[in-house]
Amino acid sequence: DAGVIQSPRHEVTEMGQEVTLRCKPISGHNSLFWYRQTMMRGLELLIYFNNNVPIDDSGMPEDRFSAKMPNASFSTLKIQPSEPRDSAVYFCASSMPSTQYFGPGTRLTVL
Amino acid sequence: DQQVKQNSPSLSVQEGRISILNCDYTNSMFDYFLWYKKYPAEGPTFLISISSIKDKNEDGRFTVFLNKSAKHLSLHIVPSQPGDSAVYFCAASATGGFKTIFGAGTRLFVKA
């Protein structure tokens, strides 16, 4: 099994640009999670899906962030417009059920 | 409101000695607890877990202890090895809930 796959691994963009992060969960897992890791706040849950349906998006910082899961094998996290304070490592994880398996993360830098 | 707290941002231990990482939680509904280990430039990986019906779970050099009355759990690593140097996250969840709450992490340094 390839594990959770995230792309890109690194993204450098300028303030105001749209950023799209991608995730492919482990086949058969029915829950998918997006996290953000920063030095100040550690690992924050942004949103999670169960059976492709968003269950809780209360961790999404603001309307500039949106996430979709059009099918069981793909999810996106979009930031539009991006800001320097969005710079962080973004992780996707999948589970079935309790133990989550994380992808390698996307390191986002917004200049 | 942090429901899962790791109050020590870092810990330094000599190789061969015991490492003890601590975690406190506030939500009494949590009944499943996990520890994850994270190396730089990698995602967190599952290490060990414990259900609230137990007070101890052991896997090789790693043991997790749960004190439900104190809402406290700890991870013991014996003996510590330089390869154990990483960030350790404590996490908790409730039965029927999909959400797992993570602590801020403790960075462990094991000195050779």
Side-chain angles (χ1 to χ4, degrees), chain A residues 25-75:
Chain A
I26 292 172
S27 176
H29 284 191
N30 60 358
S31 295
L32 183 140
F33 306 80
W34 282 100
Y35 291 88
R36 177 171 68 177
Q37 184 188 17
T38 62
M39 291 292 290
M40 294 298 292
R41 300 172 69 95
L43 207 56
E44 297 177 87
L45 177 65
L46 300 177
I47 185 171
Y48 70 96
F49 296 83
N50 184 250
N51 293 323
N52 313 338
V53 177
I55 303 298
D56 183 349
D57 65 354
S58 59
M60 297 284 261
E62 43 197 278
D63 292 345
R64 298 183 297 106
F65 286 69
S66 63
K68 293 182 179 178
M69 191 165 186
N71 57 61
S73 59
F74 184 66
S75 176

Side-chain angles (χ1 to χ4, degrees), chain A residues 9 31 33 35 37 39-43 45 48 50 55-56 58-59 89 91 95 98-105 107, chain B residues 2 32 34 36 38-47 49 87 89 93-94 97-105 107:
Chain A
R9 292 294 310 274
S31 295
F33 306 80
Y35 291 88
Q37 184 188 17
M39 291 292 290
M40 294 298 292
R41 300 172 69 95
L43 207 56
L45 177 65
Y48 70 96
N50 184 250
I55 303 298
D56 183 349
S58 59
V89 181
F91 290 104
S95 75
S98 301
T99 303
Q100 295 179 27
Y101 295 86
F102 284 77
R107 180 174 293 277
Chain B
Q2 277 191 299
Y32 188 66
L34 311 95
Y36 283 79
K38 184 187 178 304
Y39 291 118
E42 295 182 11
T45 56
F46 170 73
L47 186 59
S49 64
V87 177
F89 290 99
S93 66
F98 303 105
K99 202 169 177 175
T100 299
I101 307 297
F102 284 79
R107 184 177 295 278

Side-chain angles (χ1 to χ4, degrees), chain B residues 25-102:
Chain B
Y25 61 96
T26 57
N27 190 336
S28 56
M29 297 297 291
F30 289 148
D31 57 5
Y32 188 66
F33 305 89
L34 311 95
W35 285 94
Y36 283 79
K37 180 167 76 172
K38 184 187 178 304
Y39 291 118
E42 295 182 11
T45 56
F46 170 73
L47 186 59
I48 191 170
S49 64
I50 187 167
S51 163
S52 60
I53 62 173
K54 292 182 156 186
D55 54 19
K56 176 182 174 181
N57 188 26
E58 192 171 352
D59 183 2
R61 297 185 297 112
F62 301 90
T63 303
V64 56
F65 294 92
L66 175 63
N67 182 333
K68 290 187 291 292
S69 61
K71 293 191 177 69
H72 177 84
L73 63 154
S74 61
L75 175 68
H76 293 209
I77 306 173
V78 183
S80 302
Q81 299 173 355
D84 296 329
S85 297
V87 177
Y88 289 80
F89 290 99
C90 169
S93 66
T95 299
F98 303 105
K99 202 169 177 175
T100 299
I101 307 297
F102 284 79

